[in-house]
Amino acid sequence: MYRFLLTPRWWGINVFVLLSIPFCIFMGSWQLGRFEARVDDHRDAEARVVSDKREEARPLDGLLPVTKATSGKQTTATGRYDTQLLVPDRKLDDKDGYYVLTLLRTDTGRALPVVRGWLPGTPDPAEVPPAPTGEVTVTGALQASETPGNNGVSARGGLPGGQTAAISSASLVNLVEYDVYDAWVTLNRGDSGMKAVPATAPGGTGLDLKAFQNLGYTAEWFAFVGFVIFMWFRLLRRELEFARDAELGLAPEPDTAGEREPERPSPSAV
């Protein structure tokens, strides 16, 4: 009854199954490893954010451009506060609020975006404490420019004057008349009673969409293993049913059209 397994057709099916199952297991394990690596990278990045806060602050120009290695490092810069902007739709401790962003004009001719703190509610310039006057020295965590639409950063436009959706040099150069550093700093201590905004892990080290795509691909590869096994058993069962039917004489006769003589009409039908 199982002699059909030795036919060329079933040899091809069996070889395909024997090769596809380990391949799918390998690909699923590889995708799972990618996801686990991203989880470990995320944990290491969060740990570095905490450890970097204990390090001695270094001059800003020595940490640029911002990379995964320098993001979150303590930096210091001196200058005078100038243009102030509000960054809406920012949560802190699960509460809605906004950042107070003030540009620090440095001796280099460029301005450093400084997040002086966070306030709850909707952006209201009347509620924002004024920036210190005169020359100031700021110390905080270095952060890379944000990308609208990524990591919860709003990409909406049409904001009122004095607001910006993202802390990005590409956005800020359209709002001020001087050059802006491709980086920003969040103060370790909130200015004028505002809450300090904690530093975040650099981009590409978090549990982002790509990480969960790896997890989804893992499930798909292992599901395909089950599908291959299911289809093999289904084909086997169908072949066995055909074999039993043939032994009992219940198998459908092959089409022999053209081999039989056409029936002649009987005399009574004429």
Side-chain angles (χ1 to χ4, degrees):
M1 184 175 295
Y2 291 92
R3 284 179 297 178
F4 62 84
L5 292 174
L6 300 178
T7 61
R9 173 172 172 267
W10 271 93
W11 268 106
I13 293 174
N14 293 333
V15 169
F16 171 78
V17 171
L18 291 176
L19 292 178
S20 62
I21 289 177
F23 175 76
C24 292
I25 293 175
F26 169 78
M27 291 301 298
S29 301
W30 181 76
Q31 290 289 351
L32 182 60
R34 293 283 296 170
F35 174 74
E36 291 175 343
R38 290 182 182 276
V39 171
D40 293 338
D41 196 17
H42 176 67
R43 290 173 179 170
D44 293 341
E46 288 186 332
R48 284 198 302 270
V49 170
V50 177
S51 62
D52 288 343
K53 196 171 182 179
R54 304 191 191 100
E55 294 182 0
E56 184 178 354
R58 296 161 56 186
L60 174 65
D61 291 334
L63 296 174
L64 297 177
V66 183
T67 63
K68 289 184 179 180
T70 60
S71 178
K73 294 291 185 182
Q74 290 292 299
T75 187
T76 182
T78 300
R80 295 175 180 272
Y81 281 126
D82 195 282
T83 306
Q84 184 160 278
L85 301 166
L86 305 182
V87 187
D89 304 325
R90 298 304 175 109
K91 287 183 176 290
L92 187 62
D93 299 331
D94 293 327
K95 296 180 180 179
D96 294 326
Y98 56 98
Y99 293 169
V100 177
L101 176 69
T102 311
L103 298 179
L104 183 74
R105 300 286 299 272
T106 66
D107 294 337
T108 63
R110 290 187 289 176
L112 173 66
V114 177
V115 174
R116 295 171 50 225
W118 175 90
L119 290 174
T122 56
D124 185 358
E127 298 291 332
V128 178
T133 59
E135 189 174 78
V136 296
T137 299
V138 299
T139 302
L142 183 65
Q143 301 280 263
S145 287
E146 297 177 335
T147 302
N150 289 346
N151 298 324
V153 178
S154 175
R156 68 187 182 98
L159 293 174
Q163 294 187 22
T164 180
I167 308 174
S168 166
S169 59
S171 300
L172 295 175
V173 293
N174 298 319
L175 303 176
V176 296
E177 298 178 351
Y178 39 82
D179 292 334
V180 179
Y181 279 102
D182 189 18
W184 58 283
V185 168
T186 176
L187 298 182
N188 294 331
R189 295 181 180 180
D191 195 6
S192 304
M194 294 183 289
K195 284 189 176 182
V197 175
T200 59
T205 59
L207 297 180
D208 52 9
L209 179 60
K210 290 184 179 180
F212 290 103
Q213 282 179 341
N214 292 134
L215 190 60
Y217 294 150
T218 300
E220 289 179 1
W221 282 114
F222 285 121
F224 192 69
V225 172
F227 175 76
V228 170
I229 295 174
F230 167 77
M231 290 302 299
W232 186 85
F233 276 105
R234 185 175 180 180
L235 289 174
L236 178 66
R237 181 178 178 182
R238 189 177 67 173
E239 289 286 353
L240 289 173
E241 290 174 351
F242 286 161
R244 292 192 189 99
D245 291 344
E247 289 180 355
L248 297 174
L250 301 176
E253 294 183 1
D255 184 12
T256 57
E259 295 182 3
R260 293 184 300 175
E261 295 183 0
E263 294 185 1
R264 295 179 180 178
S266 61
S268 59
V270 177

